[in-house]
Amino acid sequence: MNVVWLKRDLRLADNETLFNGLESNAVVIYIFEPRISHNYDWDIRHWRFVYQSLKHLEAKGLKVHFLYGEAQPVFEWLKQKYESITVFSHCETGNDLTYQRDIELAAYFKSSKISWNEYQSNLVIRGAKNRAAWD
């Protein structure tokens, strides 16, 4: 099972994650995560934008499966249904909440033998330890 996990990068054009995932016949998902939606820095306006963007992708012919729950239990559920999973997503540059979620997921994916292909969506390098000569 190949899965494109859409997070903040909802572009249809110039999206390496979508390109590589769809080349692998991946199913496209978006997870509405409660701990993110209830975080202090999110508002209903953000979710309206996300929902409208996802509906725009669907209007352009991309089938997106909407899921609700925390990311790890969603992937645990998928792992129960499918023996082998490959996840395609972009390397999200969000807040500490999404950063910590991705650190936890990386550990879960590794222990569960789920392959995770992350692609840069901008010039920010998340988690860089050395910013010497960084411009």
Side-chain angles (χ1 to χ4, degrees), residues 27-50:
V27 172
V28 180
I29 66 170
Y30 186 90
I31 306 170
F32 288 94
E33 299 169 83
R35 74 176 171 175
I36 293 173
S37 66
H38 297 124
N39 196 36
Y40 73 93
D41 66 346
W42 275 85
D43 185 79
I44 189 67
R45 291 171 292 180
H46 292 105
W47 293 114
R48 281 189 197 121
F49 175 78
V50 166

Short mmCIF file of all heavy atoms in Angstrom, two decimals, residues 27-50:
data_model
loop_
_atom_site.label_atom_id
_atom_site.label_comp_id
_atom_site.label_asym_id
_atom_site.label_seq_id
_atom_site.Cartn_x
_atom_site.Cartn_y
_atom_site.Cartn_z
N VAL A 27 -2.47 5.97 -2.79
CA VAL A 27 -3.73 6.54 -2.34
C VAL A 27 -3.39 7.85 -1.63
O VAL A 27 -2.41 7.91 -0.88
CB VAL A 27 -4.43 5.56 -1.36
CG1 VAL A 27 -5.65 6.20 -0.72
CG2 VAL A 27 -4.79 4.28 -2.08
N VAL A 28 -4.18 8.89 -1.85
CA VAL A 28 -3.92 10.20 -1.25
C VAL A 28 -4.84 10.39 -0.04
O VAL A 28 -6.05 10.21 -0.15
CB VAL A 28 -4.15 11.33 -2.28
CG1 VAL A 28 -3.87 12.69 -1.66
CG2 VAL A 28 -3.28 11.10 -3.52
N ILE A 29 -4.21 10.75 1.10
CA ILE A 29 -4.99 10.96 2.32
C ILE A 29 -4.67 12.32 2.92
O ILE A 29 -3.60 12.87 2.71
CB ILE A 29 -4.74 9.86 3.38
CG1 ILE A 29 -3.30 9.90 3.91
CG2 ILE A 29 -5.10 8.49 2.84
CD1 ILE A 29 -3.06 9.02 5.12
N TYR A 30 -5.64 12.83 3.67
CA TYR A 30 -5.42 13.98 4.53
C TYR A 30 -6.00 13.61 5.89
O TYR A 30 -7.13 13.14 5.98
CB TYR A 30 -6.10 15.25 4.01
CG TYR A 30 -5.74 16.45 4.86
CD1 TYR A 30 -4.62 17.21 4.56
CD2 TYR A 30 -6.47 16.76 6.01
CE1 TYR A 30 -4.25 18.27 5.37
CE2 TYR A 30 -6.10 17.81 6.82
CZ TYR A 30 -4.99 18.57 6.50
OH TYR A 30 -4.61 19.61 7.31
N ILE A 31 -5.20 13.79 6.93
CA ILE A 31 -5.63 13.43 8.28
C ILE A 31 -5.96 14.70 9.06
O ILE A 31 -5.07 15.54 9.26
CB ILE A 31 -4.54 12.63 9.03
CG1 ILE A 31 -4.09 11.41 8.22
CG2 ILE A 31 -5.04 12.22 10.41
CD1 ILE A 31 -2.86 10.71 8.78
N PHE A 32 -7.21 14.85 9.46
CA PHE A 32 -7.59 15.93 10.36
C PHE A 32 -7.23 15.46 11.77
O PHE A 32 -7.89 14.58 12.32
CB PHE A 32 -9.08 16.25 10.24
CG PHE A 32 -9.43 16.95 8.96
CD1 PHE A 32 -9.86 16.24 7.85
CD2 PHE A 32 -9.32 18.34 8.86
CE1 PHE A 32 -10.18 16.89 6.67
CE2 PHE A 32 -9.63 18.99 7.68
CZ PHE A 32 -10.06 18.27 6.58
N GLU A 33 -6.16 16.03 12.33
CA GLU A 33 -5.62 15.58 13.60
C GLU A 33 -6.15 16.46 14.75
O GLU A 33 -5.90 17.66 14.75
CB GLU A 33 -4.10 15.64 13.58
CG GLU A 33 -3.49 14.74 12.51
CD GLU A 33 -2.02 15.01 12.32
OE1 GLU A 33 -1.23 14.45 13.11
OE2 GLU A 33 -1.67 15.77 11.42
N PRO A 34 -6.84 15.86 15.73
CA PRO A 34 -7.42 16.65 16.82
C PRO A 34 -6.41 17.50 17.59
O PRO A 34 -6.67 18.65 17.90
CB PRO A 34 -8.06 15.61 17.74
CG PRO A 34 -8.29 14.43 16.86
CD PRO A 34 -7.21 14.46 15.82
N ARG A 35 -5.24 16.94 17.90
CA ARG A 35 -4.31 17.73 18.71
C ARG A 35 -3.77 18.94 17.96
O ARG A 35 -3.36 19.92 18.57
CB ARG A 35 -3.18 16.88 19.29
CG ARG A 35 -2.12 16.43 18.34
CD ARG A 35 -1.04 15.68 19.10
NE ARG A 35 -0.11 15.06 18.18
CZ ARG A 35 0.97 14.42 18.56
NH1 ARG A 35 1.25 14.30 19.84
NH2 ARG A 35 1.77 13.89 17.68
N ILE A 36 -3.80 18.88 16.64
CA ILE A 36 -3.39 20.05 15.85
C ILE A 36 -4.56 21.02 15.72
O ILE A 36 -4.41 22.22 15.91
CB ILE A 36 -2.85 19.62 14.48
CG1 ILE A 36 -1.54 18.87 14.68
CG2 ILE A 36 -2.67 20.83 13.56
CD1 ILE A 36 -0.98 18.25 13.43
N SER A 37 -5.74 20.48 15.45
CA SER A 37 -6.90 21.36 15.27
C SER A 37 -7.30 22.07 16.56
O SER A 37 -7.88 23.15 16.52
CB SER A 37 -8.11 20.59 14.73
OG SER A 37 -8.58 19.65 15.66
N HIS A 38 -6.94 21.50 17.71
CA HIS A 38 -7.27 22.12 18.98
C HIS A 38 -6.11 22.93 19.56
O HIS A 38 -6.22 23.46 20.66
CB HIS A 38 -7.73 21.07 20.00
CG HIS A 38 -8.98 20.38 19.57
ND1 HIS A 38 -9.06 19.02 19.44
CD2 HIS A 38 -10.19 20.86 19.21
CE1 HIS A 38 -10.28 18.69 19.02
NE2 HIS A 38 -10.99 19.79 18.88
N ASN A 39 -5.02 23.02 18.83
CA ASN A 39 -3.86 23.78 19.31
C ASN A 39 -4.17 25.28 19.24
O ASN A 39 -4.95 25.73 18.40
CB ASN A 39 -2.63 23.45 18.46
CG ASN A 39 -1.34 23.87 19.10
OD1 ASN A 39 -1.19 23.80 20.32
ND2 ASN A 39 -0.39 24.29 18.30
N TYR A 40 -3.53 26.03 20.10
CA TYR A 40 -3.81 27.46 20.22
C TYR A 40 -3.57 28.25 18.93
O TYR A 40 -4.16 29.30 18.71
CB TYR A 40 -2.99 28.08 21.35
CG TYR A 40 -1.52 28.22 21.02
CD1 TYR A 40 -1.03 29.40 20.48
CD2 TYR A 40 -0.63 27.17 21.23
CE1 TYR A 40 0.30 29.53 20.15
CE2 TYR A 40 0.69 27.29 20.90
CZ TYR A 40 1.16 28.48 20.37
OH TYR A 40 2.49 28.60 20.03
N ASP A 41 -2.68 27.76 18.07
CA ASP A 41 -2.35 28.56 16.88
C ASP A 41 -3.16 28.19 15.64
O ASP A 41 -2.85 28.61 14.55
CB ASP A 41 -0.85 28.50 16.60
CG ASP A 41 -0.36 27.12 16.19
OD1 ASP A 41 -1.11 26.14 16.38
OD2 ASP A 41 0.77 27.03 15.69
N TRP A 42 -4.22 27.39 15.81
CA TRP A 42 -5.10 27.06 14.69
C TRP A 42 -6.48 27.64 14.96
O TRP A 42 -6.94 27.71 16.08
CB TRP A 42 -5.20 25.54 14.51
CG TRP A 42 -4.06 25.04 13.68
CD1 TRP A 42 -2.82 24.70 14.12
CD2 TRP A 42 -4.05 24.85 12.27
NE1 TRP A 42 -2.04 24.32 13.07
CE2 TRP A 42 -2.76 24.40 11.92
CE3 TRP A 42 -4.99 25.03 11.27
CZ2 TRP A 42 -2.40 24.11 10.61
CZ3 TRP A 42 -4.63 24.74 9.97
CH2 TRP A 42 -3.34 24.29 9.65
N ASP A 43 -7.12 28.02 13.87
CA ASP A 43 -8.44 28.63 13.95
C ASP A 43 -9.32 27.98 12.89
O ASP A 43 -8.82 27.34 11.95
CB ASP A 43 -8.29 30.14 13.67
CG ASP A 43 -9.59 30.88 13.84
OD1 ASP A 43 -9.95 31.14 15.00
OD2 ASP A 43 -10.25 31.18 12.82
N ILE A 44 -10.60 28.14 13.02
CA ILE A 44 -11.54 27.57 12.04
C ILE A 44 -11.23 28.08 10.63
O ILE A 44 -11.43 27.37 9.65
CB ILE A 44 -13.01 27.86 12.44
CG1 ILE A 44 -13.98 27.07 11.56
CG2 ILE A 44 -13.33 29.35 12.38
CD1 ILE A 44 -13.92 25.59 11.73
N ARG A 45 -10.68 29.29 10.53
CA ARG A 45 -10.32 29.81 9.20
C ARG A 45 -9.25 28.97 8.54
O ARG A 45 -9.27 28.77 7.32
CB ARG A 45 -9.87 31.27 9.30
CG ARG A 45 -11.01 32.21 9.67
CD ARG A 45 -10.50 33.58 9.97
NE ARG A 45 -9.73 33.48 11.21
CZ ARG A 45 -9.12 34.47 11.79
NH1 ARG A 45 -9.13 35.66 11.24
NH2 ARG A 45 -8.45 34.30 12.91
N HIS A 46 -8.30 28.46 9.33
CA HIS A 46 -7.27 27.58 8.77
C HIS A 46 -7.92 26.32 8.19
O HIS A 46 -7.58 25.88 7.10
CB HIS A 46 -6.27 27.16 9.85
CG HIS A 46 -5.41 28.26 10.35
ND1 HIS A 46 -5.60 28.83 11.58
CD2 HIS A 46 -4.34 28.88 9.80
CE1 HIS A 46 -4.70 29.76 11.77
NE2 HIS A 46 -3.92 29.83 10.71
N TRP A 47 -8.83 25.75 8.96
CA TRP A 47 -9.46 24.50 8.52
C TRP A 47 -10.36 24.71 7.31
O TRP A 47 -10.47 23.83 6.46
CB TRP A 47 -10.21 23.84 9.68
CG TRP A 47 -9.22 23.37 10.70
CD1 TRP A 47 -9.06 23.84 11.96
CD2 TRP A 47 -8.20 22.40 10.51
NE1 TRP A 47 -8.01 23.20 12.58
CE2 TRP A 47 -7.46 22.31 11.70
CE3 TRP A 47 -7.82 21.58 9.44
CZ2 TRP A 47 -6.38 21.45 11.87
CZ3 TRP A 47 -6.74 20.72 9.60
CH2 TRP A 47 -6.04 20.66 10.79
N ARG A 48 -11.00 25.86 7.24
CA ARG A 48 -11.79 26.16 6.04
C ARG A 48 -10.88 26.21 4.81
O ARG A 48 -11.22 25.68 3.76
CB ARG A 48 -12.54 27.49 6.19
CG ARG A 48 -13.77 27.38 7.01
CD ARG A 48 -14.59 28.68 6.94
NE ARG A 48 -15.52 28.69 8.02
CZ ARG A 48 -15.59 29.61 8.97
NH1 ARG A 48 -14.77 30.64 8.95
NH2 ARG A 48 -16.47 29.53 9.92
N PHE A 49 -9.73 26.87 4.96
CA PHE A 49 -8.78 26.95 3.86
C PHE A 49 -8.29 25.56 3.46
O PHE A 49 -8.24 25.23 2.27
CB PHE A 49 -7.59 27.85 4.22
CG PHE A 49 -6.54 27.89 3.16
CD1 PHE A 49 -6.72 28.65 2.02
CD2 PHE A 49 -5.37 27.14 3.29
CE1 PHE A 49 -5.76 28.68 1.03
CE2 PHE A 49 -4.41 27.15 2.30
CZ PHE A 49 -4.60 27.93 1.17
N VAL A 50 -7.93 24.76 4.44
CA VAL A 50 -7.47 23.39 4.16
C VAL A 50 -8.56 22.61 3.43
O VAL A 50 -8.32 21.99 2.39
CB VAL A 50 -7.05 22.66 5.45
CG1 VAL A 50 -6.89 21.16 5.22
CG2 VAL A 50 -5.77 23.26 6.02
#
